[in-house]
Amino acid sequence: MKQEELNEKLKSVIRQAREIGIPVPDNISENVVINPRPRKRFGCCRRQADKFQIEVSSFVLDCLDDKIAGVLAHEILHTCADCNNHGKIWKTHAAAMNEAYGYNIKRTSTFEEMGLSNMTRGSETNHRTPAVRYIIKCRKCGKEYPRQRRSKAVENVGRYRCVCGGRLMILCPAKKSRVDTYRYGKG
């Protein structure tokens, strides 16, 4: 999907929401940002100054049009009053959109639900798989925290603790290794 088509899809989804009485504000940027960096997040709604900016991850553009519209709808709902989270009001609006237009808007979705396999995130579609450059390891429980970038935790590992309370250490920085099956983030 091209940028112009994505912007038109955004306008269409905003119009749909308003048609069923969802109070979507007027201060939404007309241009959707396509972000190539995220690996797990499908979309994002940011408030910049006095406008909302809707962003989608570049791999979402490999989805079918109805799935892309669902991501846009999910993010548009975050622009409504008291919907900056996935609370009761947001869920009510999502249920209304799902019922009226057949979307599958929910708090989280899987790559499989979006029609993307886990392999789609890798080099098969020219999306770079992130290289793990540093591994922070707990001396007590052995939990590992992979890091792609030099961060405060990497530079000052002695100031931080594991969730179990154990002291952390840096393993030898990985030499441009790719860890395709490692889960990043919490857990």
Side-chain angles (χ1 to χ4, degrees), residues 119-133:
M119 296 303 290
T120 305
R121 291 182 284 163
S123 59
E124 288 182 13
T125 57
N126 296 326
H127 298 298
R128 227 180 82 231
T129 305
V132 173
R133 293 181 56 208

Side-chain angles (χ1 to χ4, degrees), residues 39 45 50 75 84 97 102 128 132 149 159 164 172:
R39 300 287 172 234
C45 175
D50 199 29
E75 300 309 332
N84 58 339
M97 290 288 282
R128 227 180 82 231
V132 173
R149 299 184 188 151
R159 294 183 181 174
C164 75
C172 296

Side-chain angles (χ1 to χ4, degrees), residues 30-59:
E30 295 177 0
N31 295 315
V32 178
V33 173
I34 301 170
N35 189 342
R37 291 184 64 195
R39 300 287 172 234
K40 291 187 174 188
R41 181 180 72 207
F42 299 128
C44 180
C45 175
R46 298 181 195 277
R47 182 151 192 152
Q48 296 176 336
D50 199 29
K51 277 197 168 223
F52 288 101
Q53 181 66 61
I54 305 297
E55 176 183 297
V56 296
S57 300
S58 58
F59 59 81

Side-chain angles (χ1 to χ4, degrees), residues 78-135:
H78 285 304
T79 67
C80 299
D82 298 320
C83 289
N84 58 339
N85 56 26
H86 297 108
K88 189 175 181 179
I89 298 170
W90 183 91
K91 288 178 183 174
T92 302
H93 293 330
M97 290 288 282
N98 290 342
E99 185 177 329
Y101 302 109
Y103 290 125
N104 186 22
I105 304 169
K106 52 188 183 175
R107 191 176 68 81
T108 60
S109 293
T110 65
F111 279 82
E112 289 74 24
E113 290 171 332
M114 294 294 290
L116 299 168
S117 68
N118 285 335
M119 296 303 290
T120 305
R121 291 182 284 163
S123 59
E124 288 182 13
T125 57
N126 296 326
H127 298 298
R128 227 180 82 231
T129 305
V132 173
R133 293 181 56 208
Y134 306 96
I135 298 176

Side-chain angles (χ1 to χ4, degrees), residues 114-169:
M114 294 294 290
L116 299 168
S117 68
N118 285 335
M119 296 303 290
T120 305
R121 291 182 284 163
S123 59
E124 288 182 13
T125 57
N126 296 326
H127 298 298
R128 227 180 82 231
T129 305
V132 173
R133 293 181 56 208
Y134 306 96
I135 298 176
I136 300 172
K137 185 173 182 177
C138 177
R139 295 174 190 245
K140 184 177 178 182
C141 70
K143 182 172 180 170
E144 294 183 354
Y145 301 89
R147 294 291 178 257
Q148 299 168 19
R149 299 184 188 151
R150 188 169 186 84
S151 65
K152 288 181 180 180
V154 170
E155 291 176 356
N156 304 301
V157 73
R159 294 183 181 174
Y160 296 88
R161 297 283 185 264
C162 178
V163 292
C164 75
R167 293 183 153 283
L168 300 172
M169 65 179 173

